Amino acid sequence: MMVVMAKVQAQPAPYEWTSPSSNASQSMPCGGGDVGMNVWVEQGDVLFYLSRSGCFDENNSLLKLGRFRIHLSRPFNTTAFRQRLVLQEGYCEVTDGSQTVLIWADVEKPVVHVEMTDKQGNCQAEVSYESWRTHDRLLGKRGRFQTSYKFAAPKTLVTRRDSILKAADKLIFFHHNSDVTIFDATVKQQKMETVKQQMYNPLAKLTFGGQLTGDGFVFDSHSTGQYASTDYERWAYRSTRKASRQAVMIAMATCQGTMAQWMQQLAQTTKTVNQKRDKKVARQWWRQFWQRSFVEGNVPAVRNYTLFRYMLGCNSRGEWPTKFNGGLFTFDPEYVEKAPEYRITPDYRNWGGGVHTAQNQRLVYWPMLKNGDYDVLKPQLDFYLRIYRNAELRSKVYWNHGGACLTEQVENYGLPCLPEYGTKRPDDFDPGMERNAWLEYEWDTCLEFCMMALEAHRYSGMDISDYVPMIRSCLRFFDEHYQYLARKRSAKTLDGNGKLVLYPGSGCETIKGAYNSTSTIAALRTVTTALIDYLGGDSLLADFYQRLPEITVRDGKIAPAVHYERVQNVETPQLYPVFPWRIYGVGRPDIDVAKRTYQEDSLALKFRTHIGWKQDVIWAACLGMRDEAKGLLEKKLADGPHRFPAFWGPGYDWTPDHNWGGSGMIGMQEMLLQEVGDKLYIFPAWPEEWDVHFRLHAAHGTIVEAEMKGGKVVSVKVTPVERQKDVVNVLQ
């Protein structure tokens, strides 16, 4: 293998449009820190929706902060029009060569800047704030799915109005939750009131919003209007003089407490703004972001991988993780689905705002490891850190044993989603159980996030000491709960071989009533081993590991369980030992067993597709199936249905579908680099006809950079250099 110093990546080229857009569905993402914007130009005006991580209302909807409109005194020259997402430095620019609107977000504090310049020196602008939450808005049957009530919502459910305070030189807008929220309804429904005062509650008295200000801008007018199917009110501020440059900023704040505390936080954020310095810091952060890792190539999938990674980078500093069902970049739902019921506000996203579907969330966050984006991973790990003690209270209240019972659809306060818990429950039904055909007994998805924490330490040395009690608790639940269930039906708590009986269990949402689910066993065995390795040994965990049953292999293929009662969904948990648990794969024992499962298992074949959260491209890549992986990746990371090519979906969820992009990103990474023990396999499933240059991360601070041209590996660089000997070129 030829080994030379690989070139340093040229920073990603701007993504550009040469004509204005028709509506918000043709918007372009822009953001940073924990702020996202959808930016587009329509009928001469520059518009953007503003979103921020963690803006949950009383119903646990993830609300937008509003829409902004920039109107310049003279229109853009459409023949010279450009709208550019400058990926290298993280900003969006609209220009015709003479006048320019530049939009960017601070990466260290929640502030958005809008700069307007005119080479003729006569720039005059009107900047407006548009809000559709100026009155309590009744939620219809479809609109309730943006909340955690979903299909079980009371018919009188409303999204409560915001408060908007107009002054001559600024506009303040905010949403303030009352003391009583869906948290209280969920606690009561799930019979947790005896421990309510001990529970973490992120919704009560939560306030979020911001302030629009601009040097030389004064209030001009108030009006009403309609965008798409939603009415709104508009507050316009205009510049008092013509100049070569005008600027406004939007500072934001979010806190739980009194209004005075929120105002104080907003004032403190505003006080720390230094636009020149902050711009320099933001641009430097994005340049460093792109140097951490990259994939360059001349195929659409690579371009879209890069665009999607930018979207993920916009929530690098958030207290809350990026939601799988649209992230920070949703837009008016009638542009996603055409049915009349979707003619509702831009706040809508399917499957809720504060509730997390873990099977979907995990695909957004697994790619962070090979990208080296450990800061971007942290909000997701912290999500579980905040809620797991509430899940421990569930185990104590319902069954009087230890461990965190974290469900598949889990609220941002650690309880099952109210409607999925079941609103029609027999009196004698176990109060700790969800009465839900899809979600019952599905408790193992939290283990993937435990593994992400352990892998983040293995990759980067990241301090994960705060997460270790959570990981222990998640493992402890399975040990104690399945012995508890066995004790209720037998004098013995283990089977005849001294192993736990994981029954009833679940393989994802699909293999229901499972006896020793393969996906659960693979998770428990892998996480337990990794935690023992991290701790340098642990006798209690070693004993637990000895109680874990083996994965079932039948007729030369991985079985989803020893047996099961029914198939409920369209997942393939029998391939989870390939990914995420990496028991089978390139360079690992018995890869033929996994390949036969992929190629011959009737359910694996029946459920195969590239859509949404489907993982087939990942499994094909992990098994070194080059042609199969290529075909699936071409479909998975092809341009989405909207103008911005990484706005996929809705798939099974919503648009832009982030677990669609995440699963595609993982698939591409696995095609380029896999790590087995001390070996670094490069190009294990990459098509030889695709030229590519990549830099990705591996364990122990390792960075692999390699380039392939014309089917030949032309350069490889490994840092630290002593790991160069570990490279295995699969193409040789």
Side-chain angles (χ1 to χ4, degrees):
M1 176 179 65
M2 180 180 182
V3 179
V4 298
M5 295 295 285
K7 67 181 181 183
V8 175
Q9 182 211 26
Q11 292 278 349
Y15 176 77
E16 185 175 282
W17 293 333
T18 58
S19 62
S21 299
S22 300
N23 54 55
S25 73
Q26 297 183 357
S27 56
M28 181 181 283
C30 179
D34 65 351
V35 171
M37 294 169 280
N38 297 68
V39 183
W40 75 104
V41 179
E42 183 178 349
Q43 296 182 351
D45 291 345
V46 180
L47 298 100
F48 62 91
Y49 283 121
L50 178 62
S51 300
R52 190 183 177 205
S53 167
C55 295
F56 306 116
D57 76 349
E58 294 88 346
N59 305 320
N60 225 1
S61 295
L62 179 54
L63 300 182
K64 291 189 178 299
L65 295 179
R67 182 173 56 236
F68 293 82
R69 182 185 299 265
I70 299 107
H71 178 79
L72 302 180
S73 55
R74 59 188 179 89
F76 289 104
N77 177 355
T78 56
T79 60
F81 178 91
R82 296 288 186 274
Q83 180 175 342
R84 305 165 71 230
L85 177 58
V86 182
L87 294 161
Q88 178 180 352
E89 296 184 327
Y91 65 87
C92 183
E93 177 184 74
V94 179
T95 185
D96 62 3
S98 177
Q99 54 184 354
T100 299
V101 176
L102 189 145
I103 300 171
W104 58 279
D106 196 319
V107 296
E108 294 189 329
K109 51 187 171 292
V111 178
V112 165
H113 293 273
V114 180
E115 302 175 50
M116 298 150 280
T117 57
D118 188 335
K119 289 183 177 179
Q120 297 181 15
N122 59 357
C123 178
Q124 195 159 21
E126 180 183 80
V127 178
S128 304
Y129 173 70
E130 298 177 354
S131 173
W132 50 92
R133 293 198 305 271
T134 54
H135 58 278
D136 289 356
R137 192 176 287 271
L138 184 68
L139 292 167
K141 185 176 180 180
R142 172 49 54 189
R144 297 167 197 155
F145 272 76
Q146 75 184 40
T147 78
S148 286
Y149 284 108
K150 293 191 279 191
F151 52 83
K155 292 183 179 179
T156 56
L157 189 68
V158 299
T159 296
R160 289 183 56 244
R161 70 179 182 85
D162 289 355
S163 298
I164 297 173
L165 307 177
K166 174 186 69 68
D169 60 346
K170 63 184 175 182
L171 186 77
I172 297 175
F173 49 92
F174 59 88
H175 188 96
H176 177 67
N177 290 350
S178 63
D179 291 349
V180 178
T181 70
I182 192 173
F183 169 86
D184 302 277
T186 308
V187 169
K188 181 177 181 181
Q189 177 208 35
Q190 296 175 20
K191 305 182 186 305
M192 294 287 290
E193 290 178 298
T194 57
V195 293
K196 184 177 181 180
Q197 297 308 311
Q198 302 175 46
M199 297 180 73
Y200 167 66
N201 175 0
L203 299 181
K205 295 183 179 178
L206 181 69
T207 307
F208 50 88
Q211 173 181 276
L212 170 67
T213 57
D215 185 24
F217 278 79
V218 297
F219 177 72
D220 182 69
S221 63
H222 171 256
S223 58
T224 61
Q226 180 169 309
Y227 187 85
S229 296
T230 303
D231 59 279
Y232 66 86
E233 293 187 39
R234 174 173 172 264
W235 288 262
Y237 285 74
R238 61 174 173 80
S239 54
T240 55
R241 64 186 185 280
K242 293 183 178 181
S244 59
R245 181 184 182 276
Q246 307 280 2
V248 298
M249 76 173 190
I250 305 149
M252 290 157 274
T254 301
C255 76
Q256 278 186 278
T258 66
M259 284 307 306
Q261 289 171 320
W262 181 80
M263 288 286 193
Q264 184 179 15
Q265 186 180 115
L266 182 64
Q268 181 60 32
T269 296
T270 304
K271 183 179 178 181
T272 61
V273 171
N274 179 320
Q275 203 243 30
K276 184 177 180 180
R277 177 201 62 202
D278 296 344
K279 180 191 284 189
K280 182 178 179 180
V281 169
R283 294 190 173 185
Q284 181 62 24
W285 187 91
W286 280 106
R287 286 193 291 269
Q288 292 173 347
F289 177 79
W290 295 114
Q291 284 299 304
R292 292 179 192 172
S293 70
F294 55 79
V295 182
E296 297 183 298
N298 56 0
V299 293
V302 170
R303 191 270 315 269
N304 292 345
Y305 173 105
T306 301
L307 294 178
F308 181 66
R309 184 165 175 246
Y310 171 78
M311 294 161 65
L312 296 180
C314 291
N315 191 27
S316 61
R317 301 290 177 89
E319 180 181 0
W320 296 92
T322 297
K323 281 300 300 293
F324 69 94
N325 51 350
L328 297 172
F329 301 110
T330 55
F331 47 82
D332 305 76
E334 65 192 76
Y335 300 128
V336 177
E337 297 282 7
K338 301 303 182 186
E341 65 191 72
Y342 287 93
R343 294 174 184 168
I344 45 184
T345 78
D347 287 324
Y348 181 81
R349 69 178 69 222
N350 209 10
W351 304 112
V355 61
H356 282 227
T357 304
Q359 281 276 7
N360 305 45
Q361 280 295 123
R362 66 198 179 89
L363 294 170
V364 180
Y365 279 90
W366 274 118
M368 308 296 184
L369 294 166
K370 284 187 175 173
N371 284 338
D373 294 336
Y374 311 112
D375 53 345
V376 190
L377 172 62
K378 193 173 185 299
Q380 180 64 74
L381 301 181
D382 289 348
F383 171 87
Y384 277 94
L385 188 62
R386 287 192 295 268
I387 68 174
Y388 88 93
R389 294 198 182 278
N390 282 9
E392 287 181 331
L393 290 172
R394 295 188 75 242
S395 298
K396 186 67 176 177
V397 168
Y398 299 138
W399 307 301
N400 197 32
H401 65 62
C405 181
L406 284 158
T407 55
E408 155 64 1
Q409 285 203 2
V410 63
E411 295 287 0
N412 48 10
Y413 40 85
L415 300 184
C417 184
L418 183 149
E420 314 295 356
Y421 179 79
T423 56
K424 298 178 181 178
R425 301 169 60 91
D427 291 341
D428 60 349
F429 198 79
D430 184 343
M433 284 294 304
E434 293 170 282
R435 195 163 193 267
N436 182 293
W438 285 265
L439 300 175
E440 60 191 15
Y441 302 105
E442 190 175 4
W443 299 314
D444 60 7
T445 45
C446 63
L447 295 172
E448 294 200 41
F449 301 97
C450 295
M451 193 66 191
M452 287 180 207
L454 290 161
E455 287 288 84
H457 172 77
R458 192 172 71 92
Y459 270 58
S460 69
M462 178 175 144
D463 181 3
I464 62 167
S465 55
D466 287 346
Y467 303 120
V468 170
M470 174 191 76
I471 300 169
R472 282 188 178 276
S473 188
C474 291
L475 294 171
R476 181 183 178 187
F477 168 78
F478 284 88
D479 193 17
E480 297 198 15
H481 191 68
Y482 278 103
Q483 293 195 56
Y484 163 84
L485 291 178
R487 196 175 296 113
K488 288 175 69 70
R489 64 176 181 264
S490 171
K492 299 288 187 179
T493 59
L494 303 175
D495 70 10
N497 296 314
K499 305 294 185 180
L500 289 169
V501 177
L502 302 175
Y503 176 82
S506 186
C508 304
E509 294 184 18
T510 299
I511 304 299
K512 308 307 292 186
Y515 185 106
N516 286 359
S517 162
T518 287
S519 55
T520 302
I521 293 169
L524 291 170
R525 295 178 73 88
T526 305
V527 174
T528 303
T529 300
L531 183 56
I532 291 171
D533 288 346
Y534 168 81
L535 295 170
D538 186 287
S539 59
L540 291 177
L541 288 170
D543 289 345
F544 172 58
Y545 185 85
Q546 292 302 313
R547 288 193 290 276
L548 293 174
E550 300 286 340
I551 291 170
T552 299
V553 176
R554 187 181 298 125
D555 299 326
K557 299 187 290 291
I558 307 167
V562 174
H563 65 72
Y564 54 92
E565 296 169 358
R566 69 182 190 278
V567 174
Q568 188 70 38
N569 206 333
V570 292
E571 296 152 313
T572 313
Q574 53 269 50
L575 285 169
Y576 276 48
V578 177
F579 178 86
W581 301 117
R582 302 186 186 279
I583 295 168
Y584 300 91
V586 170
R588 302 178 191 276
D590 301 320
I591 189 173
D592 289 342
V593 172
K595 283 186 174 180
R596 278 194 295 272
T597 308
Y598 182 93
Q599 294 168 329
E600 300 174 16
D601 182 276
S602 59
L603 291 179
L605 292 171
K606 179 180 179 181
F607 298 154
R608 184 148 301 147
T609 183
H610 67 282
I611 292 171
W613 39 255
K614 285 290 190 168
Q615 297 175 203
D616 299 278
V617 66
I618 304 173
W619 294 321
C622 288
L623 295 173
M625 302 169 69
R626 197 176 306 274
D627 292 341
E628 181 81 1
K630 175 190 175 185
L632 287 165
L633 187 71
E634 285 179 314
K635 294 177 181 178
K636 174 73 85 169
L637 292 186
D639 290 356
H642 298 283
R643 191 176 191 186
F644 191 75
F647 279 5
W648 295 287
Y652 305 105
D653 300 307
W654 197 240
T655 297
D657 186 340
H658 280 39
N659 50 201
W660 186 317
S663 54
M665 181 175 273
I666 298 166
M668 183 176 288
Q669 291 175 343
E670 296 301 314
M671 292 167 71
L672 291 166
L673 175 67
Q674 295 182 39
E675 186 175 18
V676 184
D678 293 331
K679 298 300 181 183
L680 300 164
Y681 290 81
I682 60 172
F683 306 112
W686 191 260
E688 295 180 40
E689 62 270 28
W690 287 359
D691 292 349
V692 69
H693 174 211
F694 75 84
R695 179 187 292 166
L696 294 172
H697 292 242
H700 311 304
T702 301
I703 300 174
V704 179
E705 185 175 343
E707 185 173 9
M708 184 170 73
K709 284 186 176 181
K712 302 291 184 181
V713 178
V714 297
S715 63
V716 179
K717 176 186 176 183
V718 181
T719 307
V721 69
E722 55 264 28
R723 293 214 63 192
Q724 192 89 37
K725 63 179 172 41
D726 299 327
V727 172
V728 178
N729 180 3
V730 178
L731 294 175
Q732 280 189 331

